[in-house]
Amino acid sequence: EIVMTQSPATLSVSPGERATLSCRASQSVSSNLAWYQQKPGQAPRLLIYDASTRATGIPARFSGSGSGTEFTLTISSLQSEDFAVYYCQQYINWPRTFGQGTKVEIK
Amino acid sequence: QVQLQQRGAGLLKPSETLSLTCAVYGGSFSNYYWTWIRQPPGKGLEWIAEITHSGGTNYNPSLKSRVTISVDTSKNQFSLKLRSVTAADTAVYYCARGWGYHYESSGWYFGYWGQGSLVTVSS
């Protein structure tokens, strides 16, 4: 099983600032990595797939980068609606696995 | 517009069987992975199992001995059974669909989700 490790667990950011979230895989997943956003009481929402491609309707302030074992999700200028928990997921192998999440909170 | 609507029992006793169904509205039922994912309270996401319209399955090895996923193409729905539940199985259970076709990598991440069902296991 591929273990996905996200850091930090919590990120405190002021609105308008940049947020950088990390995801590390225990073995190479190539570019088979997705990012999701989850708000309280809601299902996750797909943000990024193939490590760097924004899903339909996702604002350009969200960007993904990386390949192999190291990945980054960047939110260029945090808006109030961006405060949430973010998960990465690998889909190169079964079982599909998720990171434990990074909570982005208001500073 | 693809919609996934979940139903099933929310409160179980230890050793009982969890049973959930996800009905799919809109879009094709063929050529996708139909998936169950769970999330314990305050914790992260765990992929449970997936099935295609033709019945092809993949299971998480950590749960495989207790899980059955099935599909009913006549009703455009799929189901999850988890046997011998314990308190550790308390979670919000989500059904989900791959973004693209199951035979392409776009089918292996999740673009459509159900509303979630809280299942509590307590004596």
Side-chain angles (χ1 to χ4, degrees):
Chain A
E1 171 174 320
I2 298 176
V3 177
M4 308 301 293
T5 303
Q6 291 186 241
S7 61
T10 304
L11 188 60
S12 298
V13 185
S14 299
E17 289 188 340
R18 182 186 196 90
T20 303
L21 289 67
S22 295
C23 175
R24 174 177 293 178
S26 61
Q27 64 189 74
S28 177
V29 300
S30 186
S31 295
N32 295 288
L33 185 105
W35 289 95
Y36 300 85
Q37 176 193 68
Q38 187 179 34
K39 296 180 180 179
Q42 296 184 16
R45 177 174 72 143
L46 178 67
L47 295 177
I48 300 281
Y49 60 89
D50 293 346
S52 61
T53 303
R54 279 190 303 277
T56 304
I58 301 303
R61 64 181 181 272
F62 291 91
S63 63
S65 64
S67 66
T69 61
E70 301 283 344
F71 300 89
T72 300
L73 174 69
T74 302
I75 311 170
S76 59
S77 176
L78 272 157
Q79 307 297 302
S80 57
E81 62 267 29
D82 301 334
F83 292 96
V85 180
Y86 293 83
Y87 294 96
C88 60
Q89 178 229 333
Q90 66 80 19
Y91 49 93
I92 196 171
N93 271 357
W94 285 277
R96 312 304 189 199
T97 49
F98 294 86
Q100 79 280 19
T102 290
K103 181 180 181 180
V104 177
E105 64 176 24
I106 300 174
K107 187 174 182 180
Chain B
Q1 180 80 356
V2 178
Q3 291 187 23
L4 282 67
Q5 200 155 41
Q6 304 175 217
R7 65 178 190 271
L11 180 60
L12 296 172
K13 290 182 167 51
S15 79
E16 292 185 334
T17 295
L18 177 157
S19 183
L20 295 171
T21 296
C22 183
V24 180
Y25 301 97
S28 170
F29 196 70
S30 301
N31 297 315
Y32 295 102
Y33 272 131
W34 302 100
T35 303
W36 289 99
I37 293 164
R38 71 179 182 178
Q39 184 172 37
K43 295 188 178 180
L45 299 159
E46 181 179 30
W47 179 88
I48 301 171
E50 65 191 7
I51 191 167
T52 66
H53 73 286
S54 58
T57 56
N58 292 298
Y59 290 94
N60 192 321
S62 68
L63 295 166
K64 185 175 183 178
S65 63
R66 297 193 292 131
V67 169
T68 300
I69 189 170
S70 59
V71 66
D72 185 341
T73 55
S74 68
K75 296 180 180 178
N76 278 13
Q77 63 186 33
F78 62 107
S79 298
L80 174 74
K81 289 191 186 299
L82 177 64
R83 296 175 291 278
S84 304
V85 298
T86 70
D89 296 311
T90 294
V92 175
Y93 286 75
Y94 292 102
C95 59
R97 197 203 84 176
W99 181 252
Y101 296 142
H102 69 82
Y103 46 80
E104 299 173 342
S105 63
S106 61
W108 309 339
Y109 48 86
F110 312 106
Y112 299 95
W113 296 71
Q115 78 274 22
S117 300
L118 176 60
V119 177
T120 302
V121 181
S122 175
S123 55

